[in-house]
mmCIF file of all heavy atoms in Angstrom:
data_model
loop_
_atom_site.group_PDB
_atom_site.id
_atom_site.type_symbol
_atom_site.label_atom_id
_atom_site.label_comp_id
_atom_site.label_asym_id
_atom_site.label_seq_id
_atom_site.Cartn_x
_atom_site.Cartn_y
_atom_site.Cartn_z
ATOM 1 N N SER A 1643 -20.512 12.828 -5.790
ATOM 2 C CA SER A 1643 -20.171 14.246 -5.613
ATOM 3 C C SER A 1643 -20.609 14.758 -4.240
ATOM 4 O O SER A 1643 -20.006 15.679 -3.695
ATOM 5 C CB SER A 1643 -20.831 15.069 -6.725
ATOM 6 O OG SER A 1643 -20.412 16.400 -6.684
ATOM 7 N N GLU A 1644 -21.662 14.132 -3.688
ATOM 8 C CA GLU A 1644 -22.167 14.559 -2.386
ATOM 9 C C GLU A 1644 -21.162 14.335 -1.256
ATOM 10 O O GLU A 1644 -21.306 14.879 -0.166
ATOM 11 C CB GLU A 1644 -23.484 13.818 -2.072
ATOM 12 C CG GLU A 1644 -23.367 12.299 -1.872
ATOM 13 C CD GLU A 1644 -23.323 11.496 -3.186
ATOM 14 O OE1 GLU A 1644 -23.270 12.129 -4.267
ATOM 15 O OE2 GLU A 1644 -23.342 10.250 -3.118
ATOM 16 N N MET A 1645 -20.137 13.533 -1.492
ATOM 17 C CA MET A 1645 -19.165 13.281 -0.422
ATOM 18 C C MET A 1645 -17.733 13.382 -0.931
ATOM 19 O O MET A 1645 -16.825 12.756 -0.399
ATOM 20 C CB MET A 1645 -19.428 11.901 0.211
ATOM 21 C CG MET A 1645 -18.838 11.771 1.604
ATOM 22 S SD MET A 1645 -19.232 10.154 2.330
ATOM 23 C CE MET A 1645 -18.223 10.250 3.813
ATOM 24 N N ASN A 1646 -17.531 14.173 -1.985
ATOM 25 C CA ASN A 1646 -16.158 14.403 -2.422
ATOM 26 C C ASN A 1646 -15.956 15.877 -2.784
ATOM 27 O O ASN A 1646 -16.876 16.687 -2.638
ATOM 28 C CB ASN A 1646 -15.763 13.448 -3.559
ATOM 29 C CG ASN A 1646 -16.503 13.715 -4.865
ATOM 30 O OD1 ASN A 1646 -16.772 14.860 -5.230
ATOM 31 N ND2 ASN A 1646 -16.841 12.647 -5.574
ATOM 32 N N SER A 1647 -14.765 16.191 -3.230
ATOM 33 C CA SER A 1647 -14.436 17.608 -3.443
ATOM 34 C C SER A 1647 -14.157 17.898 -4.914
ATOM 35 O O SER A 1647 -13.460 18.838 -5.241
ATOM 36 C CB SER A 1647 -13.215 17.981 -2.605
ATOM 37 O OG SER A 1647 -12.133 17.138 -2.968
ATOM 38 N N GLY A 1648 -14.716 17.055 -5.792
ATOM 39 C CA GLY A 1648 -14.469 17.244 -7.222
ATOM 40 C C GLY A 1648 -15.740 17.601 -7.970
ATOM 41 O O GLY A 1648 -16.851 17.530 -7.429
ATOM 42 N N GLY A 1649 -15.565 17.970 -9.214
ATOM 43 C CA GLY A 1649 -16.713 18.257 -10.068
ATOM 44 C C GLY A 1649 -16.286 18.231 -11.522
ATOM 45 O O GLY A 1649 -15.088 18.162 -11.828
ATOM 46 N N VAL A 1650 -17.274 18.235 -12.405
ATOM 47 C CA VAL A 1650 -16.991 18.250 -13.839
ATOM 48 C C VAL A 1650 -17.919 19.285 -14.474
ATOM 49 O O VAL A 1650 -19.127 19.262 -14.239
ATOM 50 C CB VAL A 1650 -17.244 16.871 -14.493
ATOM 51 C CG1 VAL A 1650 -16.669 16.833 -15.909
ATOM 52 C CG2 VAL A 1650 -16.642 15.749 -13.667
ATOM 53 N N ILE A 1651 -17.336 20.186 -15.247
ATOM 54 C CA ILE A 1651 -18.114 21.282 -15.838
ATOM 55 C C ILE A 1651 -18.022 21.210 -17.355
ATOM 56 O O ILE A 1651 -16.958 20.943 -17.912
ATOM 57 C CB ILE A 1651 -17.565 22.649 -15.358
ATOM 58 C CG1 ILE A 1651 -17.620 22.743 -13.836
ATOM 59 C CG2 ILE A 1651 -18.334 23.810 -15.987
ATOM 60 C CD1 ILE A 1651 -18.988 22.602 -13.244
ATOM 61 N N ASN A 1652 -19.143 21.507 -18.002
ATOM 62 C CA ASN A 1652 -19.185 21.473 -19.465
ATOM 63 C C ASN A 1652 -19.146 22.894 -20.021
ATOM 64 O O ASN A 1652 -19.822 23.776 -19.514
ATOM 65 C CB ASN A 1652 -20.492 20.788 -19.891
ATOM 66 C CG ASN A 1652 -20.447 20.346 -21.336
ATOM 67 O OD1 ASN A 1652 -19.409 19.888 -21.810
ATOM 68 N ND2 ASN A 1652 -21.548 20.501 -22.029
ATOM 69 N N HIS A 1653 -18.330 23.084 -21.048
ATOM 70 C CA HIS A 1653 -18.271 24.376 -21.731
ATOM 71 C C HIS A 1653 -18.572 24.093 -23.198
ATOM 72 O O HIS A 1653 -17.677 23.774 -23.966
ATOM 73 C CB HIS A 1653 -16.870 24.979 -21.548
ATOM 74 C CG HIS A 1653 -16.765 26.420 -21.910
ATOM 75 N ND1 HIS A 1653 -17.336 26.958 -23.038
ATOM 76 C CD2 HIS A 1653 -16.161 27.452 -21.270
ATOM 77 C CE1 HIS A 1653 -17.074 28.254 -23.083
ATOM 78 N NE2 HIS A 1653 -16.369 28.578 -22.013
ATOM 79 N N SER A 1654 -19.862 24.198 -23.554
ATOM 80 C CA SER A 1654 -20.277 23.783 -24.902
ATOM 81 C C SER A 1654 -19.553 24.547 -25.994
ATOM 82 O O SER A 1654 -19.140 23.974 -26.992
ATOM 83 C CB SER A 1654 -21.770 24.016 -25.115
ATOM 84 O OG SER A 1654 -22.484 23.278 -24.229
ATOM 85 N N GLU A 1655 -19.416 25.859 -25.804
ATOM 86 C CA GLU A 1655 -18.788 26.657 -26.872
ATOM 87 C C GLU A 1655 -17.381 26.153 -27.167
ATOM 88 O O GLU A 1655 -16.930 26.160 -28.299
ATOM 89 C CB GLU A 1655 -18.696 28.123 -26.454
ATOM 90 C CG GLU A 1655 -20.028 28.839 -26.483
ATOM 91 C CD GLU A 1655 -19.971 30.148 -25.700
ATOM 92 O OE1 GLU A 1655 -18.884 30.758 -25.604
ATOM 93 O OE2 GLU A 1655 -21.022 30.532 -25.166
ATOM 94 N N ARG A 1656 -16.693 25.731 -26.134
ATOM 95 C CA ARG A 1656 -15.314 25.242 -26.316
ATOM 96 C C ARG A 1656 -15.256 23.742 -26.547
ATOM 97 O O ARG A 1656 -14.173 23.173 -26.642
ATOM 98 C CB ARG A 1656 -14.471 25.562 -25.093
ATOM 99 C CG ARG A 1656 -14.235 27.033 -24.888
ATOM 100 C CD ARG A 1656 -13.310 27.219 -23.706
ATOM 101 N NE ARG A 1656 -13.154 28.618 -23.391
ATOM 102 C CZ ARG A 1656 -11.982 29.228 -23.233
ATOM 103 N NH1 ARG A 1656 -10.880 28.555 -23.371
ATOM 104 N NH2 ARG A 1656 -11.924 30.499 -22.932
ATOM 105 N N LYS A 1657 -16.410 23.101 -26.576
ATOM 106 C CA LYS A 1657 -16.467 21.632 -26.699
ATOM 107 C C LYS A 1657 -15.546 20.995 -25.662
ATOM 108 O O LYS A 1657 -14.709 20.131 -25.968
ATOM 109 C CB LYS A 1657 -16.052 21.192 -28.105
ATOM 110 C CG LYS A 1657 -17.040 21.568 -29.190
ATOM 111 C CD LYS A 1657 -18.062 20.478 -29.370
ATOM 112 C CE LYS A 1657 -19.153 20.842 -30.353
ATOM 113 N NZ LYS A 1657 -20.496 20.621 -29.876
ATOM 114 N N ALA A 1658 -15.670 21.435 -24.429
ATOM 115 C CA ALA A 1658 -14.794 20.911 -23.377
ATOM 116 C C ALA A 1658 -15.615 20.551 -22.156
ATOM 117 O O ALA A 1658 -16.477 21.310 -21.727
ATOM 118 C CB ALA A 1658 -13.747 21.952 -22.999
ATOM 119 N N LYS A 1659 -15.371 19.353 -21.622
ATOM 120 C CA LYS A 1659 -15.971 18.961 -20.354
ATOM 121 C C LYS A 1659 -14.803 18.566 -19.463
ATOM 122 O O LYS A 1659 -14.130 17.567 -19.709
ATOM 123 C CB LYS A 1659 -16.935 17.792 -20.566
ATOM 124 C CG LYS A 1659 -17.720 17.460 -19.303
ATOM 125 C CD LYS A 1659 -18.802 16.429 -19.519
ATOM 126 C CE LYS A 1659 -19.530 16.205 -18.198
ATOM 127 N NZ LYS A 1659 -19.941 14.854 -17.977
ATOM 128 N N LEU A 1660 -14.552 19.381 -18.444
ATOM 129 C CA LEU A 1660 -13.310 19.206 -17.687
ATOM 130 C C LEU A 1660 -13.558 19.036 -16.191
ATOM 131 O O LEU A 1660 -14.446 19.676 -15.624
ATOM 132 C CB LEU A 1660 -12.402 20.424 -17.894
ATOM 133 C CG LEU A 1660 -11.825 20.602 -19.297
ATOM 134 C CD1 LEU A 1660 -11.004 21.873 -19.384
ATOM 135 C CD2 LEU A 1660 -10.957 19.407 -19.690
#
Side-chain angles (χ1 to χ4, degrees):
S1643 187
E1644 66 279 6
M1645 201 178 173
N1646 68 37
S1647 58
V1650 192
I1651 301 301
N1652 197 38
H1653 194 316
S1654 299
E1655 286 164 28
R1656 293 184 185 231
K1657 291 271 175 230
K1659 187 173 181 216
L1660 292 177

